[in-house]
Amino acid sequence: MNFDTRLIPYGRESVRDAAELLEHGELVAIPTETVYGLAADALNENAVKKIFLAKGRPQDNPLIVHISSMKMLSPLVREIPDTAKVLAERFWGGPLTMIFPKSDKIPSVTSGGLDTVAVRMPASEAAREIIRKCGFPLAAPSANLSGKPSPTTARHVFEDMNGRIPLIIDGGECAVGVESTVICFKGDKIHILRPGGITAEMLSQFCEVEVDKAVTAQPEKDERVLSPGMKYKHYSPKADVYVVNAHGKAFEEYCTKRSRYENKLIALGAGVSEHGVFLDYGSTPEIQAQRLFALLRRVDDLGAKTVLVEMPEQSGMGLAVYNRLLRAAGFKIIKMGDSK
């Protein structure tokens, strides 16, 4: 990996350049509405292996396959449940990934050795146009070094992937800011493996929904997982992150007290005034999702050693924010009265 990485804006010429590289088995970072993706031909085993190399990603971590139309789905899977068809009609393109039994077209490396494949159709016109130009589906995990906060701007991608890939397409800031919701089907139930922009409440309009225990708890060390973002520590800055189970004034007082005896501490609060150690990460779950990864990168730029984050809501979009924070913190939660 020793590329002269180009960063160019989304447009007709950049789509053509991206498709040409992808057709030749190279990697391209592309914008989506969730986070930037590190794309390769999902059906090309050698190309997909380059994703793991560029990211430093464990190879038992399955990848999500991105398509631009429903006609691309059928050759990739053995079965499409009726509920999946309904959800695709309602939420595709959008931040919803569904898991299906995979066809023989999907290489084992793409599915993380599983007999299932995760598929989504992005809402991003840039992503769909690149897929259409290629004519094949793209495997595209987040375009960051494995474990670091996911990139929501092209500049974030450049920080991690400069020299590792030939091309980054700049499509502006991502609208959603966290990765897609990942679901599978268990009988007549929707099972959420990773929360995201399509919430449990939205899905419950169609059938019963259950949330996997690993969304808010750490999986067993050797446990096999169906979705990215379930098993390994993710989304982490260099700073040590803690989720603080406190809100409002209680959170601010706790962080202010710690800052008096702890150097290089930064606090991310919900709707706080930005002063001293405090950064505002948003007063609603939707804003928090948009800002979270950029702020987790910013705290490193500011030289923080410790980051305290106000506990988010745990329903709606707040569940996605909470899920990402738990993994960024390595499941470290401070309850009031704790010193750490």
Side-chain angles (χ1 to χ4, degrees):
M1 296 182 295
N2 189 21
F3 293 98
D4 181 13
T5 303
R6 292 186 298 149
L7 195 165
I8 57 178
Y10 165 63
R12 183 179 299 176
E13 290 187 6
S14 61
V15 168
R16 182 198 63 208
D17 290 352
E20 184 174 319
L21 284 164
L22 291 161
E23 287 166 3
H24 285 86
E26 297 295 346
L27 307 183
V28 177
I30 65 172
T32 82
E33 75 280 14
T34 55
V35 300
Y36 275 74
L38 186 58
D41 180 352
L43 309 182
N44 181 334
E45 182 176 351
N46 290 329
V48 172
K49 285 180 178 177
K50 293 179 182 180
I51 292 177
F52 293 94
L53 184 63
K55 284 178 62 69
R57 179 185 175 106
Q59 291 202 19
D60 63 344
N61 211 0
L63 304 178
I64 292 174
V65 174
H66 293 64
I67 61 176
S68 60
S69 66
M70 281 300 291
K71 70 179 181 181
M72 293 185 76
L73 177 63
S74 295
L76 307 179
V77 303
R78 298 197 309 272
E79 178 187 352
I80 305 174
D82 289 340
T83 303
K85 296 175 184 176
V86 173
L87 295 179
E89 177 70 23
R90 174 63 181 84
F91 296 116
W92 279 3
L96 177 68
T97 294
M98 295 188 274
I99 293 178
F100 304 94
K102 76 181 183 77
S103 75
D104 292 339
K105 290 179 71 70
I106 300 293
S108 178
V109 66
T110 301
S111 64
L114 302 171
D115 61 1
T116 56
V117 62
V119 184
R120 91 174 183 100
M121 185 193 302
S124 164
E125 180 56 35
R128 289 208 309 272
E129 182 58 27
I130 291 167
I131 298 167
R132 282 194 291 265
K133 186 71 173 176
C134 291
F136 49 74
L138 298 178
S142 55
N144 56 293
L145 292 174
S146 188
K148 287 190 65 175
S150 298
T152 54
T153 69
R155 179 54 55 182
H156 294 159
V157 180
F158 192 80
E159 290 171 2
D160 284 10
M161 291 292 149
N162 183 24
R164 292 174 172 263
I165 62 175
L167 181 62
I168 301 167
I169 305 297
D170 188 349
E173 189 173 357
C174 299
V176 178
V178 295
E179 298 83 356
S180 61
T181 304
V182 179
I183 64 171
C184 63
F185 302 95
K186 292 190 173 182
D188 57 357
K189 294 181 182 179
I190 295 171
H191 191 79
I192 296 178
L193 298 168
R194 183 180 73 186
I198 304 302
T199 66
E201 291 80 359
M202 295 162 71
L203 293 168
S204 67
Q205 300 174 36
F206 299 91
C207 66
E208 186 177 349
V209 175
E210 60 184 15
V211 177
D212 194 278
K213 61 181 176 61
V215 165
T216 57
Q218 196 164 14
E220 295 297 325
K221 183 177 179 180
D222 297 324
E223 186 176 344
R224 218 50 199 282
V225 297
L226 296 175
S227 167
M230 291 180 73
K231 185 173 182 180
Y232 297 97
K233 187 178 180 182
H234 274 62
Y235 323 118
S236 301
K238 295 175 184 175
D240 207 6
V241 178
Y242 296 84
V243 181
V244 181
N245 191 9
H247 300 279
K249 189 172 181 60
F251 172 76
E252 294 187 46
E253 289 177 348
Y254 175 80
C255 295
T256 299
K257 181 180 179 181
R258 277 192 62 169
S259 71
R260 291 177 186 145
Y261 61 84
E262 189 168 344
N263 291 328
K264 298 184 178 180
L265 180 147
I266 289 177
L268 305 184
V272 300
S273 297
E274 294 204 359
H275 65 281
V277 300
F278 291 96
L279 296 176
D280 178 18
Y281 90 123
S283 56
T284 69
E286 289 73 23
I287 296 173
Q288 290 168 5
Q290 290 172 337
R291 294 180 178 177
L292 179 62
F293 290 143
L295 283 172
L296 290 178
R297 286 177 174 264
R298 184 180 171 193
V299 297
D300 278 345
D301 294 339
L302 294 172
K305 287 189 175 180
T306 303
V307 179
L308 306 177
V309 188
E310 184 173 348
M311 178 77 75
E313 296 179 20
Q314 294 174 42
S315 60
M317 192 68 173
L319 183 62
V321 177
Y322 181 57
N323 168 264
R324 300 326 189 266
L325 279 173
L326 282 178
R327 279 153 177 80
F331 294 87
K332 299 188 299 291
I333 299 176
I334 295 173
K335 300 176 181 178
M336 295 313 294
D338 291 348
S339 61
K340 272 279 185 178

